[in-house]
Amino acid sequence: MKQNIIKHIFTVKSIFPLLLFLGYVFYRSLSFPLHDFANSYFPAHLAIYNNTPEFFLFDIYEFNNYIWSLGYNEVFADFYLNSPFNIVAFYPFAFIENAYTAKAVFNGISCILFVLSIAALIKRYGEKSHLLVYVIPVLFYVPIRNQILFGQTYFLIFALIVFSFLQIKKGKAKAGGTLLALASLLKVFPVFYGVVFVLNNNKKAIIYAVISGFLLLVLGITLTGTPVWKTYFLEVIPNAIANKSTVNFQFNSQSFDVFFKTLFIHDSYYNPNVLYNSERLYTAIIWIFKAVFLGLAFSMSFKVKKDVLALLSIWIVTLFLVQSRTATYAQILWIIPAFYIISNKMNMWKKIAFFLILFLLCNFPLSKLENLPILLRFSRMWFALILAIIVFSTFAKRKSFLFIFASIILLIPFYLSVFSNSKKLMSLYVLKTQEFFIIYDFSQTNNLLTYFALGKNGKETVTTKISVNTFNTSACKLVNNQIVLNGEQLTNDPSLKKKPVLINSKEVYYLTDSQSRRGAFTLKKININSN
């Protein structure tokens, strides 16, 4: 009894700095813009108060128009490729009329769950982990700050993952499987951690995860209606995959996907300066890189398949290396491998190196990197690779080359484009450089082209010097997302297209999200005389 009380006192002492930091940032968040919270709150609001939420959710301009109509003119949101189950999770919060109040309530609950999950990790790893918990506010200053200020869901995801695997460790497969299923429905990527259940040969956890995931999905469809899910699975996701909208040129993604795309995929508007223009080379390199990372992860996993928390650390690190985007607030997931490292009997200098690099990875301001040479611009990605090397060095490898080769074979269906020639687009960009997040419309003003955009300053109207003598909106039409003029199909690519207009009887102008994130349109044109 006395020993348990002492343990609880130590736990409270070690968590106290974290509690102070969370309280401080929470207080700051009360006067901070809605930011990312808008991407979760307003979809739920749509599902409750609108009969056709799918019309707004997957159209950036219409989604923001809906938000602005509610009086939140300062908000700019994008539902992007988020799981519709987010709508279900935020259903209760959407009944709170004031979005800022809803954000405060959500942040409060998230902070509590985060603290409880940290306490659970302390209980699992013991006194060795106390020092780590003391410095969490320093190591993870920016990710924790941004999580609360932006109203993100990663505290919730982190807690669900931690509780899931701690339950599995205790032999409670039902609870563990259900919690991971819930996390996967909210953010998709945790489904990747389900490989731990497979490697651990935990059939009960797999079955419970599948059953509970299905039941939660039915609940989600019941609450939101089938059109949202139908649009998401049959239109949004297939188009995003075909159009490669999951990977654009935003350096803040800090992933190998974006790094190599920036090096090898030329685009005069989004990425004019490349090392060497070859989509085939980009695809081949990414294929091999991911196969190497996955192969190494599997080779290490078979040596520790009985230890679910060690397995989880391996796969959290691996996912940071292979995923296409790594948000700042997602870096809090490094806390789980950090607990493993602090409790591991490894060289002290390795531990010091790990935590120093982890501090840099989490807190180095990305804004300082934007104008640097490309190798330095992706510094966080390199930090992640170094951390991965340190973590992986603590595990024995088993037939690594065999697992890497098997991974190369298994990934073939995802990289078949390496065996085919890329199609050359006949369209050209109307504008020389990207100045706005999205161009949502264009028109003719005094015989000049005018476009309407959304950017840092909200809505903007720009009249160009491009001469427009005729503006024929009825000459072209969209058929199966392709532009048709006089019975002739002018385009043959998967990018979303809107508003094709015949201008000056010789060029077709249209909005497209080619080479961008889904729905982030810009203006392109096709010279019909050259077709």
Side-chain angles (χ1 to χ4, degrees):
M1 181 70 175
K2 185 178 179 181
Q3 193 174 6
N4 285 334
I5 293 173
I6 293 172
K7 282 184 178 180
H8 287 311
I9 291 172
F10 270 113
T11 299
V12 171
K13 278 185 177 180
S14 57
I15 287 180
F16 189 67
L18 178 61
L19 289 172
L20 287 177
F21 180 55
L22 292 175
Y24 165 70
V25 182
F26 178 80
Y27 176 74
R28 282 187 58 195
S29 73
L30 298 178
S31 57
F32 198 80
L34 285 179
H35 215 281
D36 289 348
F37 184 75
N39 297 328
S40 301
Y41 174 84
F42 290 108
H45 193 282
L46 267 168
I48 294 170
Y49 299 107
N50 192 279
N51 293 325
T52 56
E54 68 281 356
F55 171 76
F56 298 91
L57 274 183
F58 305 112
D59 186 304
I60 297 173
Y61 177 68
E62 293 298 340
F63 183 38
N64 282 281
N65 248 350
Y66 175 81
I67 296 170
W68 298 330
S69 72
L70 299 174
Y72 296 93
N73 296 318
E74 74 283 5
V75 170
F76 181 74
D78 179 12
F79 193 64
Y80 190 42
L81 301 176
N82 290 328
S83 162
F85 196 80
N86 266 278
I87 299 172
V88 181
F90 281 82
Y91 229 70
F93 301 100
F95 284 105
I96 300 174
E97 187 175 352
N98 187 296
Y100 287 90
T101 304
K103 179 184 175 184
V105 174
F106 173 75
N107 271 340
I109 295 170
S110 296
C111 287
I112 292 169
L113 289 171
F114 180 61
V115 169
L116 290 174
S117 62
I118 295 295
L121 286 171
I122 294 172
K123 185 178 179 181
R124 164 63 183 84
Y125 284 100
E127 290 183 16
K128 288 183 178 180
S129 64
H130 286 168
L131 178 60
L132 170 61
V133 180
Y134 277 125
V135 297
I136 279 178
V138 177
L139 286 175
F140 297 91
Y141 175 82
V142 171
I144 291 174
R145 182 198 65 185
N146 288 358
Q147 152 67 36
I148 299 173
L149 293 182
F150 297 174
Q152 259 289 344
T153 58
Y154 278 87
F155 276 178
L156 175 59
I157 299 301
F158 177 87
L160 288 171
I161 291 169
V162 168
F163 292 140
S164 168
F165 283 90
L166 288 178
Q167 291 298 306
I168 293 295
K169 186 74 176 176
K170 294 175 183 177
K172 298 178 180 180
K174 184 177 181 180
T178 300
L179 289 170
L180 187 65
L182 179 56
S184 301
L185 284 170
L186 285 170
K187 273 295 182 185
V188 181
F189 76 84
V191 73
F192 190 77
Y193 304 145
V195 72
V196 175
F197 294 171
V198 177
L199 291 167
N200 191 240
N201 199 28
N202 197 325
K203 295 175 184 176
K204 283 186 178 180
I206 296 169
I207 292 169
Y208 282 124
V210 172
I211 293 173
S212 58
F214 175 76
L215 293 175
L216 287 168
L217 193 61
V218 170
L219 172 65
I221 294 171
T222 303
L223 286 175
T224 61
T226 55
V228 170
W229 293 87
K230 184 178 178 182
T231 303
Y232 182 73
F233 282 116
L234 300 183
E235 295 179 30
V236 175
I237 294 302
N239 174 263
I241 293 171
N243 193 33
K244 300 176 182 176
S245 301
T246 55
V247 185
N248 54 18
F249 296 102
Q250 289 182 308
F251 89 100
N252 58 4
S253 297
Q254 291 292 305
S255 68
F256 283 98
D257 255 328
V258 177
F259 173 70
F260 286 117
K261 186 170 185 177
T262 306
L263 282 177
F264 299 119
I265 303 292
H266 175 267
D267 186 274
S268 60
Y269 186 70
Y270 295 108
N271 192 44
N273 303 311
V274 296
L275 178 66
Y276 179 72
N277 184 28
S278 173
E279 186 172 349
R280 178 174 288 171
L281 180 60
Y282 157 72
T283 305
I285 289 175
I286 284 298
W287 177 16
I288 299 301
F289 255 74
K290 291 189 177 182
V292 169
F293 294 143
L294 291 172
L296 286 173
F298 277 113
S299 71
M300 292 180 287
S301 296
F302 279 97
K303 284 288 186 179
V304 291
K305 61 182 181 180
K306 298 292 184 183
D307 187 346
V308 293
L309 294 176
L311 284 172
L312 179 60
S313 294
I314 290 172
W315 288 96
I316 284 175
V317 173
T318 302
L319 188 57
F320 270 118
L321 298 177
V322 301
Q323 62 189 349
S324 301
R325 186 171 179 268
T326 60
T328 301
Y329 22 78
Q331 307 308 314
I332 64 167
L333 289 166
W334 280 103
I335 292 174
I336 296 172
F339 267 92
Y340 174 79
I341 289 293
I342 200 73
S343 63
N344 191 273
K345 294 178 181 178
M346 64 186 295
N347 182 283
M348 182 57 68
W349 289 108
K350 271 190 179 181
K351 285 187 179 183
I352 293 172
F354 177 87
F355 287 107
L356 284 175
I357 294 166
L358 181 60
F359 172 77
L360 291 173
L361 177 144
C362 290
N363 298 290
F364 197 90
L366 287 181
S367 58
K368 302 290 185 183
L369 302 174
E370 188 169 6
N371 297 316
L372 295 178
I374 188 167
L375 287 176
L376 296 176
R377 200 184 314 157
F378 285 80
S379 293
R380 192 172 77 192
M381 178 192 75
W382 299 119
F383 289 147
L385 180 60
I386 296 169
L387 289 179
I389 292 170
I390 294 172
V391 174
F392 291 170
S393 70
T394 66
F395 295 98
K397 283 76 175 175
R398 176 185 174 187
K399 299 179 181 178
S400 298
F401 289 108
L402 181 62
F403 282 106
I404 290 171
F405 180 74
S407 297
I408 290 173
I409 301 301
L410 289 172
L411 290 177
I412 287 177
F414 299 98
Y415 296 99
L416 288 174
S417 60
V418 77
F419 302 110
S420 58
N421 295 320
S422 57
K423 296 177 181 178
K424 187 177 180 180
L425 298 177
M426 302 304 295
S427 57
L428 300 171
Y429 289 104
V430 174
L431 307 174
K432 291 183 179 180
T433 57
Q434 183 187 13
E435 296 182 14
F436 302 98
F437 178 71
I438 175 177
I439 296 174
Y440 63 88
D441 200 3
F442 62 100
S443 66
Q444 177 189 31
T445 305
N446 298 324
N447 290 336
L448 294 175
L449 178 72
T450 296
Y451 63 87
F452 307 91
L454 297 179
K456 293 179 180 178
N457 300 317
K459 287 184 179 181
E460 294 196 40
T461 301
V462 180
T463 298
T464 69
K465 294 180 180 180
I466 299 172
S467 177
V468 178
N469 298 315
T470 60
F471 194 86
N472 189 340
T473 59
S474 60
C476 304
K477 59 182 179 179
L478 284 173
V479 179
N480 296 324
N481 193 40
Q482 303 302 333
I483 299 172
V484 175
L485 172 68
N486 298 327
E488 180 185 355
Q489 183 174 312
L490 301 182
T491 59
N492 187 29
D493 66 278
S495 67
L496 290 179
K497 303 168 190 69
K498 291 175 73 174
K499 196 177 180 177
V501 178
L502 181 61
I503 290 180
N504 299 332
S505 301
K506 62 179 183 179
E507 292 179 318
V508 173
Y509 281 45
Y510 64 102
L511 298 169
T512 175
D513 66 354
S514 176
Q515 296 284 26
S516 182
R517 65 192 279 137
R518 190 179 192 279
F521 293 107
T522 190
L523 266 173
K524 294 192 83 173
K525 63 182 180 180
I526 300 172
N527 188 323
I528 60 174
N529 296 323
S530 64
N531 275 7

